[in-house]
Amino acid sequence: MAQQTVASQSAGTCHLLSREPPLSLLPAPQGDAVSEKGVHFFVDASYQSDIDPVQREDIERQLAVADALYQEVLRLTPPLQMPRYQQADFIMVILRTDQTRGGQAYDEVVRNPSVPECHIRMALGGQVDAAHNLTPAHELFHLYQNAHMMFKQAWVHEGLARWSESLLRGDGHSGPALPADRDALEAVMQSSYSAVAFWQRLFYLTDTQGDVAVPEALVSQRYHNGQPIVALGRLYGADFMSHLFAELHQAGVAVSYREQWPIYGWAESEQRSPRHNPAILSALYKAVSTYLPVASQPDELRAFMQLIAPLME
């Protein structure tokens, strides 16, 4: 009976943000940017005139290309098609003119008096120069993570998002060696953005060829200054990412059943709690094992799997 109570809450609820300042919808861009249905741009109604149209369209181009890469290269399901966000009608991108750079992704389905339709959202500094800054793509990847899993431990949440930038940079690396003992592993799990080196190495060991076919329609896309949005290069582990996301999703569902939490209703402190690292390691172990049989694993990867096996849930 308890399991039915948890399972019945299969989607996030749509919360009303009653105190948010009025937002204005920015008109659809003109030009040849790759359009992404379901992404709408808003700005604080008091600052709409401060948005540089060229910078804004470059942001839109980067987001559209990144979104296509996440779907077509990484084979990830778009956030709006995932059960958690089935009540959301679109992705809102808020351009904040009171800050020049940076960004933030949010994880709840919301609405507000000026935008009554339910949506999920991310915010970007209104002056982000997308031609030299991958913050838009980084924050969009967080929406993909939020749609697939409840874990927000920084070594997973930020480390993987930083890795995702390599799809556009074209600078995939083989990375340093995987942790060889528990102290080294603990150091990774206590890190944040720097955990990208761990993921680079792990993905390299699951795919040492790094051959990735990027659709020509994306390769041809440019920013206003003529710079390509996608820099071609090697990308290790692209095929593995969807396996990892699937296992992390299942691990989160298992934690929800065990703790009797709504599947998508974890407290923020629990989403970030290191006590769930064993569940994450278990998901990682299962993803690697199903993707690459033991006999095919390089010695370094096999040793790492032996290291984390006793620590799993």
Side-chain angles (χ1 to χ4, degrees):
M1 187 64 158
Q3 282 196 355
Q4 291 178 355
T5 301
V6 175
S8 65
Q9 302 182 55
S10 60
T13 56
C14 183
H15 303 283
L16 174 64
L17 302 177
S18 58
R19 298 183 180 181
E20 185 172 70
L23 297 172
S24 293
L25 174 65
L26 293 173
Q30 302 298 318
D32 59 354
V34 176
S35 61
E36 166 53 26
K37 294 180 180 179
V39 177
H40 299 167
F41 286 76
F42 285 77
V43 66
D44 187 307
S46 303
Y47 298 100
Q48 184 167 349
S49 61
D50 294 339
I51 298 297
D52 184 310
V54 171
Q55 288 180 318
R56 177 219 165 170
E57 189 167 338
D58 276 348
I59 290 173
E60 291 173 335
R61 292 183 182 191
Q62 183 185 116
L63 285 174
V65 170
D67 194 49
L69 288 170
Y70 300 157
Q71 295 180 43
E72 298 178 34
V73 176
L74 300 186
R75 298 185 177 88
L76 298 177
T77 303
L80 295 178
Q81 295 180 22
M82 290 295 291
R84 183 179 188 183
Y85 293 140
Q86 65 183 34
Q87 292 194 40
D89 296 319
F90 63 92
I91 295 174
M92 172 186 285
V93 179
I94 304 173
L95 300 182
R96 289 178 170 165
T97 53
D98 58 344
Q99 65 184 60
T100 58
R101 59 183 180 178
Q104 184 173 3
Y106 301 87
D107 60 0
E108 298 293 338
V109 181
V110 298
R111 59 188 176 89
N112 57 61
S114 61
V115 187
E117 300 86 2
C118 294
H119 58 272
I120 56 176
R121 56 174 50 192
M122 56 186 285
L124 299 169
Q127 300 304 313
V128 165
D129 181 1
H132 302 93
N133 186 322
L134 292 177
T135 295
H138 181 106
E139 298 305 329
L140 178 63
F141 191 79
H142 281 320
L143 294 185
Y144 273 79
Q145 290 175 301
N146 295 340
H148 286 78
M149 68 193 77
M150 295 303 294
F151 302 113
K152 284 187 184 175
Q153 286 74 7
W155 68 283
V156 177
H157 202 60
E158 296 298 350
L160 283 175
R162 178 61 58 84
W163 175 89
S164 73
E165 297 174 18
S166 61
L167 275 77
L168 287 89
R169 285 201 181 102
D171 61 349
H173 300 292
S174 60
L178 291 175
D181 55 47
R182 292 186 62 166
D183 287 343
L185 176 62
E186 189 62 32
V188 169
M189 294 190 295
Q190 291 180 5
S191 67
S192 181
Y193 296 95
S194 62
V196 63
F198 165 79
W199 295 111
Q200 286 173 331
R201 186 63 177 177
L202 180 73
F203 295 158
Y204 169 74
L205 292 174
T206 63
D207 170 27
T208 57
Q209 298 303 310
D211 293 328
V212 176
V214 178
E216 181 59 34
L218 302 180
V219 174
S220 64
Q221 293 301 313
R222 298 288 188 273
Y223 294 112
H224 276 83
N225 64 4
Q227 176 182 330
I229 299 176
V230 179
L232 293 178
R234 291 197 177 280
L235 181 71
Y236 302 104
D239 287 340
F240 175 68
M241 181 65 80
S242 61
H243 295 262
L244 178 62
F245 268 44
E247 292 297 344
L248 286 169
H249 169 73
Q250 291 301 324
V253 171
V255 171
S256 297
Y257 281 133
R258 185 184 67 230
E259 302 288 345
Q260 289 304 294
W261 297 336
I263 293 177
Y264 303 117
W266 296 19
E268 186 70 19
S269 60
E270 288 295 345
Q271 294 179 56
R272 300 180 184 277
S273 174
R275 80 182 182 97
H276 299 304
N277 278 335
I280 294 173
L281 291 176
S282 180
L284 176 57
Y285 189 96
K286 291 178 182 177
V288 172
S289 298
T290 56
Y291 183 76
L292 197 65
V294 174
S296 300
Q297 294 172 9
D299 291 344
E300 181 184 334
L301 180 58
R302 193 178 304 117
F304 175 74
M305 296 284 276
Q306 294 171 352
L307 172 65
I308 67 175
L311 307 176
M312 298 187 312
E313 203 166 69

